[in-house]
Amino acid sequence: MNSKSETDEASRGNEASSSNNNSAPSNCEDQSSPGICPAENSGQDNMKRAAAKQLIERYFYQLLDGCGNSSCDNQYCASSGQARNLTPNEAAAEAIKLFYKEARLCDTHPNKVPRTEANTCDSSASTTCSTSKTKESTDNKEETCESPNMSLELQEGPSTKPEASQDISQQEDFKTLSHNNGAPLTEDRIYQLCDECLQTKAPQPLIRALGEAFTQPAILARCFQKKVRRDSNSGEGSSSQADKESKAMCSSTDPDKDVDSVAGPELDVESCRRAFQYLAKVPSEYYSSALVTALTTLAENMEIDLRITKKMNVDDAVKCFIIAFEVPDLGCSDYLEIALPALCHAAEHLPTKAQAKLARMWAAHCKDSLQHILETLQQLITLRVISTNYTRHFQVQDDESVTLATKLMKIVYYANMLAGVMEPNTLREEPIVIANQLDPLGDALDHLYPLSSMKKANQTQPDDPLAIELDVNVLDARKPYLPFDEFYNEPLSDTIEMDIDFANYKTEITNGKKFAFLKYPFILTAATKSLGLYYENRIRMYSERRVSLLHAVVGAAPPMPFLRLKVRRSHIIDDALVELEMVAMERALDLKKQLVVEFEGEQGVDEGGVSKEFFHLVVDQIFNPDYGMFTHHVDTHTVWFNPTSFETEAQFTLIGIVLGLAIYNNIILAVNFPMVVYRKLMGKKGSFEDLADWNPVLYNGLKDMLEYEGCDLEEVYYQTFRICYQDVFGNPIFHDLKENGDSIFVTQENKKEFVEMYADYLLNKSVETQFAAFRRGFVMVTDESPLGALFRPEEVETLVCGSKNFDFNELEKSTEYDGGYTSESQTIKDFWSIVHSLPLEDKRKLLQFTTGSDRVPVGGLSHLKLVIARNGPDCDRLPTAHTCFNVLLLPEYESKDKLEDRLMKAISYSKGFGML
């Protein structure tokens, strides 16, 4: 900002306001002041300049005229008596200085219009009005009446109404024509203005009304008020009582009542929506540009009131945002590039309570608008990401348009949960606390190795203040109004440099100075977040390795930089569980070291491939029905805890450790748990709705009972509070949900209680001992991980089991070639032709052969990074693979038939390091 030019502008503005002899020219395109000559402003610089100009003017008049408060104590206000008498030029220079140091502004300030004792404006479209008896002059003059809400500078002198024509820009209509004296918009007024515009093809009255309402928060907050219905027979007393009750609701401090007060006696959201739907009938080119400018000005004024003066009422701010986001699609790029970023910038300054009110209002009264709001924010983020060339010096985390839109999307995210089906927060699993086992030697030397400080405490992401204010948790969202995956932004997820974002994330936790998208995980895909989790786990592994080496240096213990397991293939379960049990008992922190597996009697260095095979073999045996720890549901192809298992709690704890180690070491397992297991692992108990994927036949039967309305339910279902289920051997087991349950029949009055108790017993109480041990083992590995903060239960399932999308076209596109092969080599073409024709089971075998796992990684096969290397000319050898590095060694066979024969033999009969 040029201080000299701003001084001149403020000085010119003062001269214009204090003189009645100077008239503003009708066409002043050459003037430099945007207040005197309304010009079309575009871009962020003009927006910031306009906002700065408004603040400087407010300081200017505060220094000259004061705020009108006789008891004012602001040293920068004329009303306080502390400010020295200044000339207009001195006040202009001082105002600029006060702007730069963000000096105090009084709560009230005079508008930049001639101060008069009476000011009567015609509410019609005329641009002139009669002004009587100004403080500067007693002469009656006909002056231009300009709304203080619309312009930064006074425009004086005679003026006439410009004719409605296409050559008059919407910006001029918006800024120079007279308005409706601050009257708020109503549904009927919008109808009238739209009909007039459609009939006369003159959009100026509509533009003026929208411009006046949408530039000042105080006016916009009074728009579309709900009409108070008064009974004609009740008299004035009843009306007065209704007004008192309305005011009492508005002043209530109870959050729920606040929501009702905003939606009930004040803002009529449905009326606002109908009005804007009618507005959409008018061609958007008539008003879109002016409305974009108005919304931008509104956002700037709200930001000033929220950030600097702090005088804006919270309810008014909420209503302004609700109305602003009910505006229909304007169909112009300026909205996404200028107005929407400005609104996001203003929303950043909403206090937490106001954000909570906005989320509740959107959830309760604007469900149909959530899709539009979300799509608009996604468009803004996507547009910025794909059109900006980010570098290591200007990351996407530095782009305010993206980050502020993400912050506003968080409010929409919580509103989306509240608008859907929420379960009570009472259904929470008891938290499991693992004893702190920090190493004294490691702690003493942490200052020498900053990287290891992550291990010192649970520096996981703190609870979100907005979530606390709303008392909402993603685990309680049984069915959000919009699917959670609609909040993913794939272009953003693909653009983020996760190493930088992860560093910002750890910094954000400690001092809150860096923006990190990991703090807003709803916008990132599971594949992108899994990379952040990978960095977290790897740093912890290096930290544990360093501590182990420090022990060796001082002779405290032999070096154990890795979690090393040595097992026999023939006794893999016994060996693995015994060794893991010893580690868990002696020093549980060793579980956070990098896993290294060695098969006894086999040569090989574990660079990842051996560990994959180890987990694959362990899972195959543990979940075998003959082992007896889990039962299999034939209908859903899932496994469940055996409540009558003969195995000890320690065995289930070790199974939980295996699952945690798989996530910690970035290994995908072939397990088939129902979703309720992952919900319970994250801390949410199973409920009736979880039966849908656990046992759909039972779920449908109980749902039919709930929906049955006949009075003969007792005779139709003949069900008591005694239930029967089968153990692993098929024997029936009876259980009374209540005392003497066999004598209590299910009726219309108690059927809901029966269903809830039935589900609670099957999913929680019957396996309480087994699951608690299993979860404890899982938490022993993941307790310091941000797993719960970053991932929802369905995303945790993807982490464990991988993606279910076996798209080998993606694998072909992402595959790299080496040793002389290219994508155009005939052998490669034949290879992919064979692969695409294979059934799914053989495709799984191919993945198992080349990568050590038959599961698709998080994000799909495009993230697998397979390498096919030439392994010599045509020969009779079979293809081989380095599973640690996802490398397939393929000889250049002379024919497609020979390639298919050798490939099928290799993937069908190979296991470990030899042929079976």
Side-chain angles (χ1 to χ4, degrees), residues 534 537-538 541 563 591-596 608 611-612 615 658-668 781:
Y534 173 80
N537 295 340
R538 285 292 166 179
M541 290 179 186
L563 173 58
L591 295 173
K592 296 183 173 70
K593 294 179 179 179
Q594 185 176 351
L595 178 65
V596 175
S611 296
K612 291 179 184 178
F615 279 106
V658 168
L659 188 67
L661 286 175
I663 294 179
Y664 193 64
N665 289 272
N666 200 32
I667 295 174
I668 297 173
V781 183

Side-chain angles (χ1 to χ4, degrees), residues 712-913:
D712 57 346
L713 182 143
E714 186 176 343
E715 290 78 15
V716 171
Y717 285 91
Y718 203 74
Q719 175 66 51
T720 67
F721 274 74
R722 172 174 289 182
I723 61 173
C724 176
Y725 62 97
Q726 293 182 340
D727 63 10
V728 69
F729 303 106
N731 300 320
I733 299 178
F734 296 93
H735 176 76
D736 286 352
L737 299 176
K738 286 185 174 182
E739 187 176 356
N740 299 322
D742 194 32
S743 61
I744 304 175
F745 281 87
V746 177
T747 64
Q748 286 289 359
E749 290 73 23
N750 62 18
K751 64 181 182 181
K752 186 175 181 181
E753 179 188 13
F754 168 77
V755 168
E756 291 177 350
M757 295 183 70
Y758 197 176
D760 181 52
Y761 177 76
L762 292 178
L763 299 177
N764 302 314
K765 292 182 178 179
S766 65
V767 294
E768 184 174 7
T769 301
Q770 292 82 359
F771 182 79
F774 171 78
R775 183 170 174 235
R776 179 174 179 79
F778 181 80
V779 172
M780 289 176 69
V781 183
T782 62
D783 61 330
E784 294 182 329
S785 169
L787 184 70
L790 298 181
F791 296 90
R792 300 188 306 273
E794 58 269 23
E795 294 174 322
V796 175
E797 181 190 30
T798 304
L799 280 180
V800 174
C801 304
S803 173
K804 298 179 181 179
N805 183 20
F806 284 82
D807 188 349
F808 273 71
N809 290 317
E810 290 186 0
L811 180 61
E812 181 179 1
K813 294 177 182 178
S814 64
T815 297
E816 299 176 356
Y817 304 97
D818 194 11
Y821 280 150
T822 68
S823 59
E824 298 301 320
S825 301
Q826 186 59 45
T827 301
I828 297 300
K829 291 182 178 179
D830 292 341
F831 172 82
W832 288 116
S833 176
I834 295 169
V835 169
H836 291 313
S837 64
L838 294 176
L840 180 58
E841 187 61 31
D842 286 339
K843 289 180 178 179
R844 285 183 177 272
K845 291 180 180 179
L846 176 62
L847 289 178
Q848 178 72 48
F849 176 73
T850 55
T851 69
S853 172
D854 64 348
R855 315 297 286 189
V856 178
V858 181
L861 288 173
S862 60
H863 291 72
L864 190 58
K865 305 304 179 186
L866 177 67
V867 177
I868 301 179
R870 184 175 182 273
N871 192 24
D874 176 57
C875 63
D876 292 332
R877 289 180 298 168
L878 299 178
T880 55
H882 296 308
T883 57
C884 299
F885 308 103
N886 299 342
V887 176
L888 174 63
L889 301 176
L890 190 66
E892 191 172 6
Y893 297 109
E894 62 181 4
S895 67
K896 181 179 180 180
D897 291 339
K898 186 174 183 179
L899 169 60
E900 182 174 8
D901 176 72
R902 297 296 187 270
L903 181 63
M904 293 307 298
K905 287 181 179 179
I907 67 176
S908 299
Y909 305 113
S910 66
K911 195 172 186 180
F913 288 90

Side-chain angles (χ1 to χ4, degrees), residues 357-409:
K357 286 177 181 287
L358 180 58
R360 291 193 185 102
M361 276 293 296
W362 272 340
H365 304 283
C366 306
K367 291 183 180 180
D368 296 337
S369 302
L370 288 177
Q371 182 83 50
H372 169 69
I373 299 171
L374 177 59
E375 289 178 351
T376 303
L377 293 173
Q378 292 283 33
Q379 288 175 10
L380 168 61
I381 294 173
T382 302
L383 178 65
R384 288 289 302 177
V385 168
I386 65 177
S387 62
T388 305
N389 184 23
Y390 297 108
T391 65
R392 298 292 290 189
H393 300 290
F394 180 69
Q395 289 286 320
V396 65
Q397 291 88 347
D398 303 320
D399 192 336
E400 280 197 343
S401 295
V402 176
T403 59
L404 295 180
T406 303
K407 291 181 179 180
L408 181 56
M409 193 185 293

Side-chain angles (χ1 to χ4, degrees), residues 226-445:
K226 184 169 287 187
K227 297 179 181 178
V228 179
R229 296 183 179 179
R230 296 188 175 123
D231 190 349
S232 59
N233 298 327
S234 62
E236 294 181 359
S238 176
S239 173
S240 177
Q241 181 65 23
D243 291 341
K244 290 180 180 179
E245 292 177 357
S246 175
K247 291 179 180 178
M249 291 177 67
C250 293
S251 61
S252 171
T253 57
D254 185 83
D256 296 330
K257 290 185 178 180
D258 285 343
V259 173
D260 294 337
S261 70
V262 175
E266 296 191 15
L267 176 60
D268 189 340
V269 177
E270 292 299 325
S271 175
C272 174
R273 186 173 294 123
R274 289 192 299 268
F276 286 137
Q277 287 174 351
Y278 201 84
L279 176 65
K281 296 181 179 181
V282 179
S284 62
E285 59 266 19
Y286 282 4
Y287 62 85
S288 62
S289 179
L291 193 52
V292 166
T293 305
L295 287 170
T296 305
T297 305
L298 170 73
E300 293 167 353
N301 290 334
M302 289 181 66
E303 182 181 351
I304 291 172
D305 291 339
L306 290 169
R307 181 172 65 89
I308 299 179
T309 66
K310 301 186 183 301
K311 70 173 187 176
M312 188 170 190
N313 182 275
V314 168
D315 287 342
D316 287 351
V318 171
K319 285 182 279 190
C320 287
F321 278 108
I322 291 172
I323 296 174
F325 280 97
E326 288 293 329
V327 172
D329 187 5
L330 297 177
C332 63
S333 60
D334 284 349
Y335 176 72
L336 286 178
E337 296 175 359
I338 300 176
L340 186 57
L343 288 171
C344 294
H345 207 288
E348 182 190 19
H349 301 287
L350 282 173
T352 302
K353 288 185 179 294
Q355 294 180 30
K357 286 177 181 287
L358 180 58
R360 291 193 185 102
M361 276 293 296
W362 272 340
H365 304 283
C366 306
K367 291 183 180 180
D368 296 337
S369 302
L370 288 177
Q371 182 83 50
H372 169 69
I373 299 171
L374 177 59
E375 289 178 351
T376 303
L377 293 173
Q378 292 283 33
Q379 288 175 10
L380 168 61
I381 294 173
T382 302
L383 178 65
R384 288 289 302 177
V385 168
I386 65 177
S387 62
T388 305
N389 184 23
Y390 297 108
T391 65
R392 298 292 290 189
H393 300 290
F394 180 69
Q395 289 286 320
V396 65
Q397 291 88 347
D398 303 320
D399 192 336
E400 280 197 343
S401 295
V402 176
T403 59
L404 295 180
T406 303
K407 291 181 179 180
L408 181 56
M409 193 185 293
K410 182 177 71 172
I411 303 178
V412 183
Y413 178 71
Y414 287 124
N416 181 57
M417 287 192 285
L418 294 173
V421 179
M422 296 290 292
E423 289 184 335
N425 57 13
T426 56
L427 297 175
R428 298 283 176 84
E429 294 280 0
E430 290 294 327
I432 295 179
V433 179
I434 305 299
N436 197 356
Q437 301 186 50
L438 299 180
D439 183 79
L441 178 62
D443 294 339
L445 298 177

Side-chain angles (χ1 to χ4, degrees), residues 532-595:
L533 185 65
Y534 173 80
Y535 287 138
E536 170 87 13
N537 295 340
R538 285 292 166 179
I539 291 177
R540 291 189 185 278
M541 290 179 186
Y542 298 151
S543 173
E544 291 299 330
R545 187 184 305 176
R546 180 197 61 83
V547 171
S548 178
L549 293 176
L550 289 176
H551 274 278
V553 169
V554 299
M560 295 179 58
F562 303 100
L563 173 58
R564 189 177 300 276
L565 299 180
K566 187 173 183 178
V567 296
R568 297 167 292 174
R569 284 186 181 271
S570 57
H571 299 81
I572 189 169
I573 297 295
D574 295 337
D575 293 350
L577 297 188
V578 167
E579 292 202 33
L580 288 175
E581 185 176 15
M582 292 177 61
V583 171
M585 291 176 61
E586 293 178 1
R587 189 176 185 270
L589 283 176
D590 285 345
L591 295 173
K592 296 183 173 70
K593 294 179 179 179
Q594 185 176 351
L595 178 65

Side-chain angles (χ1 to χ4, degrees), residues 36-109:
I36 298 175
C37 177
E40 295 189 10
N41 297 328
S42 62
Q44 297 291 334
D45 291 338
N46 288 337
M47 290 167 53
K48 294 178 181 178
R49 183 180 177 84
K53 190 175 188 306
Q54 277 191 327
L55 277 175
I56 292 172
E57 285 188 330
R58 289 174 63 174
Y59 284 120
F60 175 79
Y61 282 104
Q62 182 173 285
L63 289 167
L64 282 183
D65 301 335
C67 66
N69 181 9
S70 58
S71 60
C72 178
D73 59 351
N74 186 358
Q75 62 175 327
Y76 304 117
C77 178
S79 297
S80 68
Q82 301 179 40
R84 61 188 179 89
N85 294 329
L86 301 173
T87 66
N89 286 338
E90 290 174 340
E94 186 67 16
I96 295 175
K97 296 178 181 178
L98 295 181
F99 165 77
Y100 277 114
K101 66 179 183 179
E102 296 187 358
R104 175 182 169 188
L105 275 170
C106 295
D107 289 340
T108 58
H109 61 278

Side-chain angles (χ1 to χ4, degrees), residues 576-703:
L577 297 188
V578 167
E579 292 202 33
L580 288 175
E581 185 176 15
M582 292 177 61
V583 171
M585 291 176 61
E586 293 178 1
R587 189 176 185 270
L589 283 176
D590 285 345
L591 295 173
K592 296 183 173 70
K593 294 179 179 179
Q594 185 176 351
L595 178 65
V596 175
V597 177
E598 178 184 347
F599 286 106
E600 190 174 288
E602 299 182 11
Q603 295 181 354
V605 178
D606 186 6
E607 294 290 343
V610 180
S611 296
K612 291 179 184 178
E613 185 177 10
F614 163 76
F615 279 106
H616 175 74
L617 296 175
V618 168
V619 167
D620 274 352
Q621 293 194 32
I622 284 180
F623 293 101
N624 190 312
D626 297 337
Y627 209 73
M629 295 185 68
F630 295 89
T631 61
H632 286 247
H633 287 198
V634 179
D635 295 336
T636 58
H637 303 289
T638 58
V639 296
W640 185 247
F641 301 89
N642 180 11
T644 60
S645 174
F646 298 111
E647 302 297 335
T648 64
E649 292 183 32
Q651 295 290 84
F652 284 95
T653 299
L654 296 174
I655 302 304
I657 291 176
V658 168
L659 188 67
L661 286 175
I663 294 179
Y664 193 64
N665 289 272
N666 200 32
I667 295 174
I668 297 173
L669 301 180
V671 297
N672 295 306
F673 283 126
M675 182 56 65
V676 64
V677 171
Y678 300 102
R679 289 175 60 83
K680 287 169 69 67
L681 278 176
M682 295 295 101
K684 185 73 173 182
K685 290 183 178 180
S687 62
F688 168 66
E689 293 297 330
D690 289 308
L691 292 175
D693 64 290
W694 185 79
N695 191 333
V697 175
L698 176 61
Y699 172 79
N700 291 329
L702 293 176
K703 188 175 182 182

